């Protein structure tokens, strides 16, 4: 079962109350750097109340805390390469063991290699009463992505994601929600972007094909307003969960 969502396919805006009744189960958000995985994950969290598990955020948390994993990961992330599978899988396993994942979760940016994909497929297949995984791939024209990456700014307090070109805050450099000063990720440079895109093409694009082949796969156009992209994902996931 494979679904391609096109503009206008969604029937209602996110946040419609009856949608909360859907048991979303495990979702994978796939796509190149900057396509909007984090932005969409936050929309889905709001609707379904399941956690976003971003391996990028978990790794950045380790970097900020100066853990052994963080010290090792920092250099790799600055080159736009991938942290070894065994370390990332272990980090994800620990997070999935937490009780808030019971009704489902959104894996944002994981799996990113075929090794990670085979590992997570096995983990999820052996989980008692778990729904089968749905993989969502977000696609955006390559030429748009550099602006999305270099223009991105994050709120360190509420984690809201902005873009100085596309999704700007009301006041320059200041979060609309809580007034915190927005920050830029250290890997959001043009130089690092090239490495990240190369890594994506070599190691992560095959993961998208893996899930396309397995079915329960949705491909959405991410080059639309945030709410429209979200509505497309929600409507497709609901159909696959019926
Ligand atoms: P990670 O943090 O996962 O980065 P990424 O995959 O490169 O993805 P991004 O976070 O850059 O983009 P996004 O798709 O979430 O887009 P966003 O919503 O922010 O990983 C960082 C590093 O950690 C990796 O390079 C690697 O080293 C390591 N790592 C992570 N996971 C790993 C793993 N599994 N294995 C090994 N290593 C791993 O949006 C981007 C911008 O676009 C924002 O400014 C936003 O406002 C804007 N935007 C979003 N949607 C729209 C829209 N519809 N219209 C207009 N603008 C939009």
């Amino acid at each position: 079962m494979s679904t391609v969502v096109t503009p206008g396919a969604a029937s209602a805006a996110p946040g419609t109350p009856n949608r909360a009744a859907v048991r979303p189960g495990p979702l994978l958000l796939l796509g190149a750097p900057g396509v909007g995985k984090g932005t969409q994950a936050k929309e889905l969290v709001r609707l379904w109340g399941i956690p976003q598990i971003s391996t990028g955020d978990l790794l950045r948390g380790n970097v900020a805390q100066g853990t052994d994993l963080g010290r090792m990961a920092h250099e790799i992330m600055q080159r736009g390469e991938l942290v070894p599978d065994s370390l990332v899988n272990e980090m994800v396993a620990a997070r999935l063991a937490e009780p808030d994942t019971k009704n489902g979760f959104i894996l944002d940016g994981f799996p990113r290699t075929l090794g990670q994909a085979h590992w997570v497929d096995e983990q999820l297949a052996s989980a008692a009463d778990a729904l089968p995984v749905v993989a969502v791939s977000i696609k955006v024209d390559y030429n748009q992505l550099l602006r999305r990456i270099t223009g991105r700014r994050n709120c360190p307090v509420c984690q809201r994601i902005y873009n100085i070109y596309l999704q700007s805050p009301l006041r320059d450099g200041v979060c609309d929600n809580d007034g915190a000063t927005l920050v830029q990720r250290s890997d959001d440079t043009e130089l690092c972007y090239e490495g990240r895109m190369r890594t994506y093409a070599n190691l992560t694009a095959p993961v998208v094909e893996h899930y396309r082949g397995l079915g329960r796969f949705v491909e959405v156009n991410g080059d639309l307003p945030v709410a429209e992209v979200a509505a497309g994902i929600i409507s497709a996931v609901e159909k696959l969960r019926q």
Side-chain angles (χ1 to χ4, degrees):
M1 201 184 314
S2 173
T3 307
V4 175
V5 176
T6 49
S11 52
T16 310
N18 65 345
R19 298 201 132 157
V22 172
R23 190 177 163 217
L27 302 178
L28 310 182
L29 279 189
L30 308 171
V35 294
K37 301 181 293 295
T39 300
Q40 291 304 321
K42 285 171 178 45
E43 297 287 315
L44 303 178
V45 165
R46 237 197 327 268
L47 175 63
W48 284 321
I50 56 175
Q52 170 195 12
I53 302 175
S54 156
T55 43
D57 286 348
L58 291 174
L59 289 167
R60 279 185 289 278
N62 274 275
V63 172
Q65 286 166 26
T67 65
D68 289 346
L69 171 61
R71 273 194 295 277
M72 199 270 276
H74 182 63
E75 299 297 312
I76 297 173
M77 292 166 82
Q78 289 308 117
R79 292 196 300 269
E81 294 171 5
L82 296 182
V83 177
D85 286 357
S86 57
L87 298 177
V88 178
N89 293 353
E90 196 182 321
M91 188 179 74
V92 171
R95 182 62 186 87
L96 289 181
E98 290 179 30
D100 64 341
T101 60
K102 203 167 166 283
N103 288 325
F105 47 84
I106 301 157
L107 278 173
D108 161 5
F110 181 92
R112 256 174 148 99
T113 64
L114 285 173
Q116 292 178 9
H118 294 139
W119 177 84
V120 80
D121 291 350
E122 237 175 69
Q123 297 292 310
L124 297 180
S126 62
D129 89 336
L131 292 169
V133 74
V134 168
V136 178
S137 170
I138 306 176
K139 285 199 78 169
V140 170
D141 185 81
Y142 179 90
N143 297 314
Q144 302 292 328
L145 294 178
L146 181 59
R147 231 156 62 111
R148 285 199 180 195
I149 292 283
T150 55
R152 173 168 43 199
R153 301 292 183 271
N154 297 78
C155 174
V157 175
C158 71
Q159 316 306 326
R160 183 164 166 185
I161 305 169
Y162 294 88
N163 190 290
I164 57 170
Y165 309 117
L166 306 160
Q167 309 266 320
S168 56
L170 296 173
R171 272 202 301 147
D172 276 357
V174 176
C175 179
D176 296 349
N177 291 343
D178 49 40
T181 301
L182 302 180
V183 294
Q184 185 171 23
R185 270 170 48 178
S186 61
D187 60 345
D188 276 351
T189 60
E190 195 163 344
L191 187 66
C192 190
Y193 164 83
E194 283 166 20
R196 288 161 69 186
M197 291 306 288
R198 232 182 352 261
T199 302
Y200 178 80
N202 292 336
L203 297 174
T204 310
V207 173
V208 175
E209 295 317 309
H210 167 76
Y211 286 105
R212 195 193 300 276
L214 287 184
R216 293 190 191 280
F217 174 83
V218 181
E219 190 160 81
V220 294
N221 176 7
D223 208 355
L224 294 169
V226 171
E228 282 183 44
V229 181
I233 295 173
I234 291 159
S235 148
V237 170
E238 284 175 346
K239 277 193 204 121
L240 288 170
R241 287 295 185 219
Q242 272 167 10

